[in-house]
C-alpha cells in the first residue's frame, strides 16, 4: 500500500480501520473472512459471520426479498460499488453505513470481493449528510457544491458542472474566482467567508455574471450558503446551492422597467415631450442609444391613413426624441426637430412599410449595400461600436405615427427576443400617449379658438366705469373653461357688468358659455332689468338642457348681472347662485354686498330679485367667479380676506390691482377657473347733463327743438344741430300724440350725444312701412337714418325712447330742404304708433 493509500485509510481518513468492517466474500456473496472491526461494527462474532451471506450480515432496514438481488448486483460489478446503506446491528438497532465493494483480482476467474463498511457518523463529512448529497443532490437540477475552509471545491453535482460550463477536474481543489472570471468572485467569496465566520446561512443571495457555458449573455443567479460542521463542531467548509434565475430576473426587470416607463411616459399631453420621455425611459436599462421619429403629418395635426405606410410617406419624418448613455448624445446625426431621412434599405423604412418590428441581433454596418445608401451614417455608427439594433413602429388605433430605434454597443450583449417584447411594450404605451396628445392638441386648438372668439378681446369704450379684468383657467394644460365676463355699454351712458361661471371645463363648457354670453348681450340691448335678464337666461338654459337631453345636470351656470348709472351714481344688481361682489369705497373700506341669493341658472321656475344701491364716484366693484376664493384648502372666508386685502388701495391702477389679486392665489394655480372683473365708478358731471319737462301742448315741440339747439351751442356741438333737432322734434311729437304726461326731455353729453324723451306710457314704438299715400309713418326711419343707435327702455313710471349721435361727425345725408320747413312738417306728421295703431 502506498503512502497516499495509507493516509486514505488512517485514523484521519475516510475509513479508519479500527472502526471499519473489513469483510472478504466470494462472488456468490458468502462471507469468507471477518475482522474484529466487523465484529465491533455489526455485532456478529467471526464464528457466526463466516459462511453466511452478506445479505444476512448487512440486513437492510425494512429490506425484503430484493436484498439478495442487490448484493448480487454489487458483487458482480467489475468496477466495484460504493454507496450508502442503512442496516441492522445484530441487536436490532439501525446503522447508517458507507459501503464500498472492491474486487480483488487474481489469475482465477472466481476472484474474491473485499467489502468495506464504516458508520457515517465516523467520517469527516458526516455533518454534510452524505445520503442527502449522494441521493438527492447528485440528481438535483439545482447546482450544489461544497468548498472547504479555504473556499476550494471538494464536491459538486452534475447540475452545477453543466450550469457553469467547467468540468469537475477543472473545479476540484480550485476557488470560484479561478474558474469563473465572468462572475463577481470577490463578492461571492466574501459572502462565503461571512457564513463561515458567523454560521448564519445566507439565503437568496443574487448576483449577475457571464458563465463559461454562455459568455455572450448575462445570467442571474440565486444562491444559498450553509456552513458545514462535524460532530465535534469543527468547521469543514460551506455548502452552497445555486439556481439560474435569469428568466425570472429578466421578467422582474422587465416589469420594473415597464412600471418605470408607465410613470415617465405620457406625463403630459405634448407630442414632443412624450417622444423624448420614451427615449429617456429606455436608456440605459434597455438600450444605449434610442431615437424616436414621427411623421410630419402627425406633427402638423393632420390625420394619417391607417395601415403600413408607403415609402414616399417616410420622406417627411422628423426627429422628436433621442437619448444616449453618452453625454450630449454624440450618436445623433439628426437634431431634435430636424427632418430624418432614411435610405430605402434602412430598418426604420422596412418596419414602417411592412408594419412589423425588426430585431437585428448582429448589426453589420460594413454591409456594402447599406453603407452605400448612407456612408456617413454607417461610418459614424460603426465608429461608435454599435452592434445590435431593434426598430419598433409607433402605432395607435391602427394608425402609424412613426418609429423608435434602439441600439446597443460593445461590450453589452446583443438584443434578445424578450428585449424586443419589452421595447414593443414601451413603444405601445408611448404611441397611445402620443396619439392622445395629438388628438388633444387638435381639440385643444379648436377649443381655444372657440373660447377666444367668445371672450371679449378688449373692453368696449364707455364713460361709466374704468374697468380691467383677468381670466385664469384652472387647467393650465387645456386653458379652456366656462367662466366669462363682459362689459356692455347701455343707453343713457349706463353700463352692464357681467360675470358668469358654467359648470365644467373644455369645449362643452366653452360652447355653453358662448350661448349665455350672446344671450346676455342680446338681453342687455333690450334694456331689461337685472332680474329679467337672469330669468330669460334661466329659461334659455333649460331649453338647451332639454334640446341636448342633458338630464344629468351637466348644464348649469351661475351669473351676476349689474347695471351702473353714472348719472345717478347708482347700481342695480341681481345674482343667480353666484358669489356676492366686493365693494371697496373711496375710503378703502371693503364689504361684500348683501344681495338676494337667487338659484343657479338651469333649475327653472325660481324668481330672481335685484337690489339698487348708491355707488359714490371712485368706488371699486369687484366681480369674480368662485375659483378666486376657493384655494386648495377650499377656504371661502380666507379667499374673501385675501381679496379684501389685495384691494385695500382702491385708487391704485386697476391693472396693478388685478395682478395683486391673481398673484395672491394660494399655490400659484386655482382649483377652479377664475374670472375677475374690476370696475371703478365714475360720475357724469352735471355740466354734461340737461333735462326739461315738456308741457302737454303741441306748441311745446318747437320750444323743445329750440332748447335742444341752445344746449348744443353751449356744449360747442353746433354741427349736430340738424340731426339733433330732427330727432328731438320727432320724439317729442310722438310722445305728445301717443303717450301720456308727464313728458320729459334729457340730453347727455358722454362719449356720444344722447337724446332721451320719457313718458308715462308703456306702449312700445315700432317701425312700419308707410304707403305712398300715408301722411305719416316715416319719422322712425328718419331717426334710424340719422342716429347711431336708438331704442326703448322701460322704467317704473313708463318708458324712455332714446337716440345716440356720435360726437365729431354729422351722420346721415346733408339736409337738402329748408330746415324749418322740414321740422314744421314733421311736427304735423308724427309716426310713433301706440298699441291702438298696430
Amino acid at each position: 500500500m502506498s503512502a497516499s493509500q495509507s493516509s486514505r485509510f488512517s485514523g484521519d481518513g475516510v475509513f479508519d480501520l479500527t472502526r471499519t468492517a473489513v469483510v472478504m466474500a466470494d462472488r456468490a456473496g458468502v462471507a469468507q473472512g471477518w475482522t474484529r472491526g466487523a465484529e465491533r461494527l455489526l455485532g456478529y462474532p467471526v464464528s457466526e459471520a463466516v459462511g453466511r451471506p452478506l445479505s444476512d450480515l448487512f440486513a437492510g432496514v425494512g429490506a425484503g426479498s430484493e436484498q439478495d438481488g442487490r448484493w448480487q448486483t454489487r458483487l458482480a460489478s467489475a468496477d466495484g460499488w460504493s454507496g450508502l446503506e442503512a442496516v441492522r446491528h445484530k441487536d436490532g438497532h439501525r446503522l447508517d453505513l458507507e459501503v464500498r465493494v472492491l474486487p480483488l483480482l487474481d489469475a482465477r476467474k472466481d476472484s474474491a470481493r473485499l467489502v468495506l463498511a464504516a458508520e457515517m457518523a465516523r467520517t469527516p463529512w458526516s455533518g454534510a449528510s452524505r445520503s442527502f448529497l449522494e441521493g438527492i443532490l447528485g440528481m438535483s437540477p439545482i447546482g450544489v457544491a461544497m468548498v472547504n475552509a479555504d473556499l476550494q471545491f471538494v464536491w459538486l453535482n452534475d447540475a452545477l458542472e453543466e450550469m457553469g460550463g467547467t468540468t469537475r477536474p477543472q473545479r476540484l481543489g480550485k476557488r470560484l474566482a479561478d474558474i469563473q472570471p465572468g462572475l463577481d468572485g470577490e463578492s461571492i467569496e466574501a459572502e462565503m467567508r461571512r457564513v463561515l465566520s458567523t454560521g448564519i446561512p445566507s439565503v437568496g443571495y443574487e448576483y449577475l455574471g457571464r458563465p463559461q457555458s454562455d459568455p455572450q449573455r448575462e445570467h442571474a443567479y440565486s444562491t444559498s450558503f450553509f456552513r458545514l460542521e462535524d460532530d465535534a463542531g469543527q468547521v469543514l467548509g460551506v455548502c452552497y446551492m445555486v439556481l439560474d434565475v435569469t428568466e425570472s430576473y429578466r421578467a422582474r426587470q422587465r416589469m420594473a422597467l415597464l412600471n418605470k416607463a408607465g410613470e415617465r411616459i405620457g406625463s403630459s399631453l405634448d407630442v414632443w415631450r412624450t417622444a423624448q420621455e420614451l427615449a429617456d425611459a429606455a436608456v440605459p436599462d434597455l438600450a444605449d442609444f434610442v431615437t424616436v421619429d414621427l411623421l410630419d403629418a402627425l406633427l402638423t395635426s393632420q390625420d394619417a391613413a391607417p395601415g403600413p405606410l408607403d415609402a414616399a410617406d417616410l420622406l417627411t419624418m422628423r426627429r422628436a426624441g433621442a437619448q444616449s448613455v453618452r453625454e450630449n448624445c454624440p450618436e445623433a446625426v439628426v437634431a431634435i426637430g430636424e427632418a430624418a431621412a432614411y435610405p430605402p434599405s434602412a430598418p426604420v423604412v422596412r418596419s414602417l412599410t411592412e408594419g412589423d418590428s425588426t430585431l437585428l441581433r448582429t448589426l453589420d454596418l460594413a454591409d456594402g449595400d447599406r453603407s452605400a445608401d448612407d456612408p456617413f451614417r454607417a461610418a459614424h455608427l460603426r465608429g461608435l461600436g454599435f452592434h445590435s439594433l431593434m426598430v419598433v413602429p409607433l402605432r395607435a388605433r391602427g394608425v402609424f405615427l412613426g418609429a423608435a430605434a434602439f441600439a446597443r454597443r460593445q461590450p453589452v450583449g446583443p438584443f434578445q427576443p424578450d428585449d424586443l417584447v419589452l421595447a414593443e411594450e414601451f413603444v405601445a404605451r408611448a404611441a397611445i400617449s402620443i396619439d392622445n396628445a395629438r388628438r388633444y392638441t387638435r381639440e385643444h386648438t379648436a377649443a381655444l379658438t372657440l373660447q377666444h372668439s367668445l371672450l371679449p378681446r378688449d373692453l368696449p369704450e364707455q364713460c361709466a366705469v374704468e374697468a380691467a379684468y383677468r381670466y385664469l383657467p384652472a387647467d393650465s394644460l387645456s386653458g379652456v373653461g366656462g367662466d366669462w365676463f363682459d362689459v356692455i355699454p347701455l343707453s343713457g351712458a349706463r353700463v352692464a357688468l357681467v360675470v358668469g361661471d358654467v359648470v365644467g371645463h373644455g369645449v362643452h363648457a366653452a360652447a355653453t358659455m358662448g350661448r349665455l354670453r350672446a344671450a346676455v348681450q342680446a338681453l342687455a340691448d333690450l334694456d331689461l332689468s337685472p332680474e329679467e335678464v337672469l330669468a330669460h337666461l334661466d329659461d334659455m338654459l333649460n331649453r338647451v338642457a332639454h334640446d341636448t337631453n342633458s338630464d344629468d345636470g351637466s348644464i348649469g351656470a351661475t351669473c351676476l348681472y349689474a347695471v351702473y348709472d353714472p348719472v345717478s351714481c347708482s347700481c342695480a344688481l341681481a345674482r343667480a347662485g353666484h358669489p356676492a361682489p366686493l365693494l371697496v369705497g373711496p375710503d378703502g373700506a371693503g364689504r361684500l354686498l348683501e344681495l338676494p341669493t337667487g338659484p343657479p341658472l338651469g333649475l327653472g321656475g325660481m324668481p330672481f330679485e335685484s337690489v339698487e344701491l348708491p355707488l359714490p364716484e371712485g368706488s371699486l366693484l369687484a366681480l369674480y367667479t368662485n375659483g378666486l376664493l376657493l384655494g386648495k384648502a377650499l377656504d371661502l372666508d380666507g379667499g374673501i380676506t385675501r381679496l379684501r386685502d389685495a384691494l385695500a388701495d382702491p385708487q391704485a391702477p386697476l391693472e396693478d390691482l388685478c395682478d395683486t389679486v391673481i398673484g395672491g392665489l394660494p399655490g400659484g394655480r386655482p382649483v377652479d377657473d377664475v374670472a375677475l372683473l374690476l370696475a371703478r365708478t365714475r360720475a357724469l358731471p352735471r355740466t354734461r347733463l340737461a333735462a326739461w319737462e315738456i308741457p302737454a301742448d303741441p306748441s311745446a315741440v318747437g320750444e323743445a327743438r329750440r332748447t335742444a339747439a341752445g344746449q348744443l351751442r353751449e356744449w360747442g356741438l353746433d354741427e349736430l344741430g340738424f340731426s339733433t333737432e330732427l330727432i328731438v322734434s320727432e320724439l317729442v311729437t310722438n310722445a305728445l300724440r301717443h303717450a301720456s304726461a308727464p313728458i320729459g326731455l334729457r340730453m347727455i353729453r358722454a362719449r356720444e350725444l344722447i337724446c332721451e324723451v320719457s313718458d308715462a306710457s308703456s306702449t312700445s314704438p315700432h317701425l312700419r312701412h308707410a304707403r305712398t299715400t300715408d301722411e305719416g309713418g316715416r319719422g322712425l326711419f328718419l331717426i334710424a337714418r340719422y342716429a347711431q343707435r336708438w331704442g326703448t327702455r322701460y322704467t317704473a313710471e313708463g318708458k324712455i325712447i332714446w337716440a345716440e349721435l356720435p360726437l365729431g361727425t354729422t351722420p346721415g345725408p346733408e339736409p337738402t330742404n329748408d330746415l324749418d320747413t322740414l321740422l314744421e312738417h314733421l311736427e304735423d306728421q308724427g309716426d310713433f304708433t301706440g298699441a291702438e295703431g298696430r
Side-chain angles (χ1 to χ4, degrees), residues 40 49 171 229 254 269 274 349 361 398-399 422 433 563 604 629 719 722 768:
R40 285 192 295 267
R171 283 180 179 257
E229 301 175 356
R254 287 195 297 269
L269 288 172
T274 303
V349 175
R361 297 188 61 181
V399 176
L422 181 60
S433 297
V563 176
L629 302 181
E719 71 276 7
F722 174 80
R768 65 181 181 88

Side-chain angles (χ1 to χ4, degrees), residues 412-489:
V412 182
F415 287 117
Q416 304 295 328
D418 54 353
D419 292 320
L420 181 61
V421 173
L422 181 60
E424 289 175 336
E425 289 285 348
F426 272 50
V427 172
R429 296 191 180 200
I432 292 297
S433 297
I434 288 175
D435 188 58
N436 289 339
R438 175 179 69 93
R439 292 168 176 266
Y440 164 79
T441 299
R442 184 171 56 189
E443 294 178 4
H444 177 230
T445 301
L448 282 180
T449 302
L450 172 63
Q451 187 182 47
H452 290 167
S453 67
L454 297 176
L455 287 175
R457 296 184 180 179
D458 297 302
L459 297 181
E461 296 181 352
Q462 40 77 38
C463 62
V465 296
E466 176 190 1
Y469 68 91
R470 289 292 185 273
Y471 177 79
L472 187 65
D475 186 355
S476 60
L477 294 177
S478 68
V480 180
D483 292 10
W484 91 94
F485 59 91
D486 224 332
V487 176
I488 307 173

Side-chain angles (χ1 to χ4, degrees), residues 59-84:
V61 176
S65 60
E66 73 274 8
Q67 179 76 3
D68 292 338
R70 289 206 304 267
W71 275 102
Q72 291 297 329
T73 301
R74 297 168 185 173
L75 294 171
S77 174
D79 297 327
W81 176 86
S82 64
L84 305 177

Side-chain angles (χ1 to χ4, degrees), residues 133 181 232 273 291 295 321 351 468 495 498 501 573 695 706 769 776 787-788 790 802:
L133 295 174
R273 182 174 175 180
T291 61
L295 298 176
S351 288
V495 65
V498 190
D501 183 358
L573 309 94
R706 288 187 290 274
H769 292 279
Q788 177 177 265
W790 73 277
W802 54 270

Side-chain angles (χ1 to χ4, degrees), residues 395-746:
R395 176 171 48 195
R397 300 177 178 93
V399 176
F400 283 81
L401 311 174
F406 305 80
R408 276 184 181 172
R409 59 186 181 88
Q410 297 291 357
V412 182
F415 287 117
Q416 304 295 328
D418 54 353
D419 292 320
L420 181 61
V421 173
L422 181 60
E424 289 175 336
E425 289 285 348
F426 272 50
V427 172
R429 296 191 180 200
I432 292 297
S433 297
I434 288 175
D435 188 58
N436 289 339
R438 175 179 69 93
R439 292 168 176 266
Y440 164 79
T441 299
R442 184 171 56 189
E443 294 178 4
H444 177 230
T445 301
L448 282 180
T449 302
L450 172 63
Q451 187 182 47
H452 290 167
S453 67
L454 297 176
L455 287 175
R457 296 184 180 179
D458 297 302
L459 297 181
E461 296 181 352
Q462 40 77 38
C463 62
V465 296
E466 176 190 1
Y469 68 91
R470 289 292 185 273
Y471 177 79
L472 187 65
D475 186 355
S476 60
L477 294 177
S478 68
V480 180
D483 292 10
W484 91 94
F485 59 91
D486 224 332
V487 176
I488 307 173
L490 302 177
S491 63
R494 299 169 306 135
V495 65
L497 307 173
V498 190
V499 171
D501 183 358
V502 175
V503 173
H505 307 280
V507 178
H508 180 71
T512 303
M513 175 268 289
R515 287 185 172 187
L516 288 174
R517 180 170 181 255
V520 169
Q521 290 178 331
L523 294 171
D525 283 342
L526 297 177
D527 270 317
L528 300 179
S529 62
E531 69 271 17
E532 291 179 298
V533 170
L534 295 182
H536 284 289
L537 291 178
D538 186 49
D539 292 340
M540 188 209 77
L541 208 57
N542 276 309
R543 288 194 299 271
V544 171
H546 181 269
D547 293 342
T548 57
N549 295 320
S550 181
D551 298 329
D552 58 354
S554 60
I555 294 183
T558 66
C559 184
L560 174 65
Y561 188 87
V563 176
Y564 174 71
D565 187 347
V567 176
S568 63
C569 291
S570 62
C571 184
L573 309 94
R575 58 174 175 155
H578 203 83
L582 182 71
L583 175 64
V584 182
D587 58 354
R591 62 185 178 92
L592 286 178
L593 295 181
E594 297 182 0
L595 305 179
T597 304
L601 300 176
L603 296 183
M606 302 293 289
F608 299 95
E609 184 179 352
S610 63
V611 172
E612 187 167 353
L613 303 170
L615 293 186
E617 184 178 11
S619 299
L620 182 62
L621 193 62
L623 286 71
Y624 48 85
T625 55
N626 59 6
L628 187 70
L629 302 181
L630 300 179
K632 292 184 178 180
L634 302 179
D635 182 8
L636 182 61
D637 294 336
I640 295 173
T641 301
R642 287 194 306 271
L643 180 60
R644 184 184 292 111
D645 293 342
L647 302 178
D649 183 7
Q651 304 308 319
L654 291 186
E655 293 294 332
D656 294 345
L657 290 177
C658 285
D659 291 338
T660 301
V661 172
I662 298 300
L665 289 173
R669 300 296 312 178
V671 297
D672 194 7
D673 303 328
V674 170
L676 171 67
L677 178 62
L678 298 182
R680 180 179 291 134
T681 60
R682 296 167 176 161
L684 189 70
R686 292 299 173 183
T687 57
R688 296 191 176 189
L689 175 68
W692 305 272
E693 288 189 7
I694 305 298
D697 186 345
S699 62
V701 176
E703 181 62 27
R705 187 175 66 246
R706 288 187 290 274
T707 301
Q711 188 63 53
L712 290 179
R713 287 192 296 272
E714 183 178 337
W715 284 341
L717 301 176
D718 296 291
E719 71 276 7
L720 297 179
F722 174 80
S723 302
T724 303
E725 290 185 51
L726 185 149
I727 290 172
V728 168
S729 179
E730 179 63 23
L731 293 179
V732 172
T733 299
N734 282 277
L736 291 172
R737 287 193 173 186
H738 302 291
S740 57
I743 299 173
L745 170 64
R746 187 170 73 164

Side-chain angles (χ1 to χ4, degrees), residues 311 314-315 341-351 353-354 369 373-374:
L314 303 181
L315 298 177
Y342 290 96
S345 64
V348 170
V349 175
R350 294 206 312 270
S351 288
T353 54
E354 297 173 4
D369 294 338
D373 286 332
D374 192 348

